[in-house]
Amino acid sequence: VSQKSVYLAGPEVFLANARAILDLKIALTREAGLMPIAPGDLEHPKTDSAWELGLAIARIDEQLMDSADAIIANLTPFRGIAADPGTCFELGYMCAKGKPAFAYTNMRASNFERAVGYYDGKVVRDEKGLPRGPDGIMIEDLGFADNLMLHGGVVNRGGAVVVGDAAEAERYTDMTAFTQVLEIAAQKLR
Amino acid sequence: VSQKSVYLAGPEVFLANARAILDLKIALTREAGLMPIAPGDLEHPKTDSAWELGLAIARIDEQLMDSADAIIANLTPFRGIAADPGTCFELGYMCAKGKPAFAYTNMRASNFERAVGYYDGKVVRDEKGLPRGPDGIMIEDLGFADNLMLHGGVVNRGGAVVVGDAAEAERYTDMTAFTQVLEIAAQKLR
């Protein structure tokens, strides 16, 4: 039986211990009976400039996604209240390819709750009942883990978004939610 | 001659004056000789719950993207230092469809400069010369407007990322960079 492969999208490529965390995710993916495909950001091709390097890594990661059967995206908020932009791009990319998509986050607070926190709770409802910050900007209040395109893109394709609750210090290294979503993905991809 | 259509991705759907700003972008797109396709977040389908509403809007926006020939993504930082996660998803979605992609931002500060600001300047280079915040997390230093998947995805497809410099109060309403990227898109799509 040929194994299904999953692209492991997430901001862990930026961690000081990126190699160790990616290796752990790779091992857990294999244990779940799936073939891991990890982003190539760690292997830097030789280029003439930082600009060319960035373009080359983007091409490599797209090729890796093209070679994968599915995606598991780590939507844990990154340097702020939202998922890593590169991971959001990659989730959209795989959804467009019609490939099964799964996601997880290590933060329990919903997209709505995090935005309320961003505004220090100073959120009011407009005449239509929509919550808005002091800047007038609307907040999605849908019970989703992040923006509706992300959460919706996964759920609309029959995938799952697993919400974990890691300690602050283990925000990017806790594997509880990842292990849970791996199980779901392995079952759906079988 | 049949006009090429562009999907207008961006966080302006969340503004208090979303309708007015979208109408302005729609008018400018028509003036540039392109057919505007705007996200459907403003027209709320009837659903039984907020959850179903979110899923329905995600489906509608995907269908709108499927109907468009190209995308122009507004990557202006949103509630933090990064582009709106929904816009990132949509840019990845259109790149995966092989459609021409263009982007702009109304903030001059690069992805690197914004991350340095996030860390209050407390950024150090590791033994490999990579810049990292006090949390050990690496910062891309590529001269890009946002994460390399976004900027790279656009440039690798022959598109352009136009960097504007709007006043704080006009961060989401200034049309200078959008007008410039519209001209580039119109020329490339001709």
Side-chain angles (χ1 to χ4, degrees), chain A residues 7 11 13-17 41 44 50-59 61-62 65 78-97 115 118-119 130-133 135-144 146-157 172, chain B residues 7 11 13-17 41 44 50-59 61-62 65 78-97 115 118-119 130-133 135-144 146-157 172:
Chain A
Y7 181 80
V13 291
F14 301 120
L15 298 179
N17 58 344
D41 300 43
H44 287 185
W51 180 272
E52 286 298 329
L53 174 65
L55 299 184
I57 296 174
R59 279 193 298 268
D61 286 352
E62 286 191 15
M65 286 193 283
F78 183 71
R79 285 192 194 128
I81 61 167
D84 163 51
T87 303
C88 299
F89 177 99
E90 292 177 339
L91 181 56
Y93 189 98
M94 292 296 270
C95 283
K97 294 283 187 184
Y118 176 83
Y119 291 122
L130 295 171
R132 294 184 183 275
D135 52 11
I137 299 182
M138 197 257 273
I139 306 171
E140 288 180 4
D141 185 11
L142 306 166
F144 285 174
D146 210 306
N147 180 287
L148 68 85
M149 294 305 295
L150 281 71
H151 202 125
V154 170
V155 173
N156 281 332
R157 284 169 178 77
Y172 301 110
Chain B
Y7 182 79
V13 290
F14 301 120
L15 298 178
N17 58 345
D41 300 43
H44 286 186
W51 180 272
E52 285 298 329
L53 174 65
L55 299 185
I57 295 174
R59 278 193 298 267
D61 286 350
E62 285 192 12
M65 286 194 283
F78 183 70
R79 284 190 195 129
I81 61 167
D84 163 51
T87 303
C88 299
F89 177 100
E90 293 178 339
L91 181 55
Y93 188 98
M94 292 296 269
C95 282
K97 294 282 188 185
Y118 176 83
Y119 290 122
L130 295 170
R132 295 183 181 276
D135 52 10
I137 299 181
M138 197 258 273
I139 307 172
E140 288 180 3
D141 185 11
L142 306 167
F144 285 174
D146 209 307
N147 180 286
L148 66 86
M149 295 306 295
L150 282 71
H151 202 126
V154 170
V155 173
N156 281 332
R157 282 168 179 78
Y172 302 110

Side-chain angles (χ1 to χ4, degrees), chain B residues 8-152:
Chain B
L8 304 174
E12 50 271 358
V13 290
F14 301 120
L15 298 178
N17 58 345
R19 186 67 271 158
I21 297 302
L22 270 177
D23 285 347
L24 180 53
K25 291 186 78 170
I26 286 168
L28 289 168
T29 304
R30 289 213 177 96
E31 274 175 40
L34 297 167
M35 191 169 90
I37 297 184
D41 300 43
L42 300 184
E43 297 117 49
H44 286 186
K46 279 227 192 321
T47 54
D48 288 339
S49 66
W51 180 272
E52 285 298 329
L53 174 65
L55 299 185
I57 295 174
R59 278 193 298 267
I60 291 169
D61 286 350
E62 285 192 12
Q63 285 162 7
L64 290 170
M65 286 194 283
D66 292 343
S67 76
D69 295 312
I71 183 171
I72 296 179
N74 177 0
L75 301 182
T76 305
F78 183 70
R79 284 190 195 129
I81 61 167
D84 163 51
T87 303
C88 299
F89 177 100
E90 293 178 339
L91 181 55
Y93 188 98
M94 292 296 269
C95 282
K97 294 282 188 185
K99 294 178 179 176
F102 306 88
Y104 71 101
T105 169
N106 279 343
M107 191 180 282
R108 179 172 292 278
S110 70
N111 186 45
F112 176 73
E113 291 164 336
R114 298 196 307 274
V116 170
Y118 176 83
Y119 290 122
D120 290 323
K122 296 191 184 71
V123 170
V124 289
R125 299 263 165 184
D126 67 13
E127 69 282 359
K128 284 180 185 167
L130 295 170
R132 295 183 181 276
D135 52 10
I137 299 181
M138 197 258 273
I139 307 172
E140 288 180 3
D141 185 11
L142 306 167
F144 285 174
D146 209 307
N147 180 286
L148 66 86
M149 295 306 295
L150 282 71
H151 202 126

Side-chain angles (χ1 to χ4, degrees), chain A residues 26-44:
Chain A
I26 285 168
L28 289 168
T29 304
R30 289 213 178 96
E31 273 175 42
L34 297 166
M35 190 169 89
I37 296 183
D41 300 43
L42 300 185
E43 297 119 49
H44 287 185

